[in-house]
Amino acid sequence: MAACTVLVTPLLYVNKQNALFYHKAWQIHRQCGIKKISTSVSRCNSQAQPKRKSRPGELVGVVGLEIHAQIQSSTKLFSASKVGFSAPPNSLVSFFDASLPGTLPVLNRRCVEAAVMTALALNCTINKKSFFDRKHYFYADLPAGYQITQQRQAVAVDGQLAYSLLGDRRRNHQMQTKTVRIKQIQLEQDSGKSLHDEQRSQTLVDLNRAGVGLMELVMEPDMSCGEEAAAAVRELQLVLQALGTCQGNMSEGQLRVDANVSVHRPGEPLGIRTEVKNINSARFLARAIDYEIQRQIGALERGEVVLSETRTYDSKSGFMPEPNLPPLVVYEDQRSVPEDVAGQVVVLEALRDSLPELPSVKRGRLMSSYGLLPEHSFTLVNEDGLMEYFEAVVKETRKEPRKVIGWVTNELLELLELQELGHISASIAKQVLQEMWRDPGKSAGDVVREQDLGLVCDSSDLRSVCQRVLDSNPDQVRALRDGNKKVLNRLIGLVQKETRGRADPVLVKSILEDKTS
């Protein structure tokens, strides 16, 4: 099997809250003076290995993916029920979701537009007319006994997704661009969820998820190993998030991946494939695929037979046309919409014009406009809010962009990592940032150590501080015991003042509540 490598951001994952931090950091920069920007530049510490060529006659892996992306919509695909993660069981269920007799599906325009926008971004051909089918299977969390999907003619076909792999150090981290073909993108409804109660030996059904809109993206078997598949999924995740068509949170099931894996000798027909289902992590996807490739290679070398464990389409038993939904028609522009068409329509021209700058285009622009290295462009695009922050800094300073990037991808992200790991508080992070601007030669860690700004997490020390604060404020303690919960925040603030903002707020709150209960 040919080994492959993938660029993985070597820094922490910055969440949505840090986008606000970048904005505040930018305000501090303007107050402290842009001339203080550090001129240090460093490369990402990727440990990727070189891809080796397969020997003649050697078995190699073949990988195709089926990805279910939950559409970012306030309501479900065919009903007006709200979409919400972790809502109380069966609190977001309409009569149609529960398949009560006499209920009919009503197609959600937002879901259609999301699928079309995604297809445009992936260079797909949009079918101006597509159809809905019924896929029959019987399970407790599918009350209708069938799923409404698109199989005969999906909303979009024949696209492609370009993704990048980072080469080895000997080739100066040369970037490799690969492409995987998109066979089709189809709309379909999600099923409910079965909750198994082993203690009571029963299974409960939650239909909150039933009917939520999905885009199924079917990728051709153009990949050869787990890392290639993981890189393609990560790139697709960024594209969907940039479009706003799917939040892409794999831990919440918003992006679920099935991998079709087989092995063969180059030049020979593809081998028997197996399917690895419902993987909710790019890292686990890579591991699962590589494990399955090695398992199949081992089985064949031992003279065993690889069994097919993949569900395939059977025209005799799998699907029937959905009689309650007319063909889905998409129009090229507003002029092509017939006068007699009533209600909401989906127009390609408007959606095409509204497409945002996609991740691959952003990376290319960063490299061409600012002369950045490929790994720097990946870091800026992959970390939410970081690219906008970098461009704002470059706009306001005379320093070369390649000098600014060194500060942004090292010193600033080190500071954020200290906050993410709980070593410093948010208020201390701002103080450290100001000190770093005053003295560019110091890293975030240097400032924290020299000024002793790390969080105070010692329970005995904090208990002593909390007790002093309580003894000095008997009126507020009395008010808290009488039920005025707002006083607790004031007391926490006094403790933070005593510790110069270094106290662990969660621990302080727990101690104060314990002492005043």
Side-chain angles (χ1 to χ4, degrees), residues 25 71 92 119 163 175 245 308 323-324 330 345 374 383 393 397 400 409 415 462 487 500 515:
I71 298 173
L92 305 176
Y163 62 96
M175 191 71 67
T245 56
S308 174
N324 296 322
V330 176
V345 297
E383 304 293 352
V393 173
T397 182
E400 294 181 7
T409 59
L415 173 60
L462 287 180
V487 175
R500 295 181 297 137
K515 286 183 173 291

Side-chain angles (χ1 to χ4, degrees), residues 207-227:
L207 294 180
N208 280 350
R209 197 178 66 182
V212 170
L214 299 177
M215 294 179 286
E216 181 176 358
L217 297 95
V218 182
M219 293 184 175
E220 299 284 8
D222 296 337
M223 294 158 283
S224 63
C225 64
E227 291 300 334

Side-chain angles (χ1 to χ4, degrees), residues 70-83:
Q70 180 179 315
I71 298 173
Q72 189 172 340
S73 172
S74 60
T75 55
K76 296 182 180 181
L77 182 58
F78 298 119
S79 78
S81 296
K82 298 296 182 182
V83 175

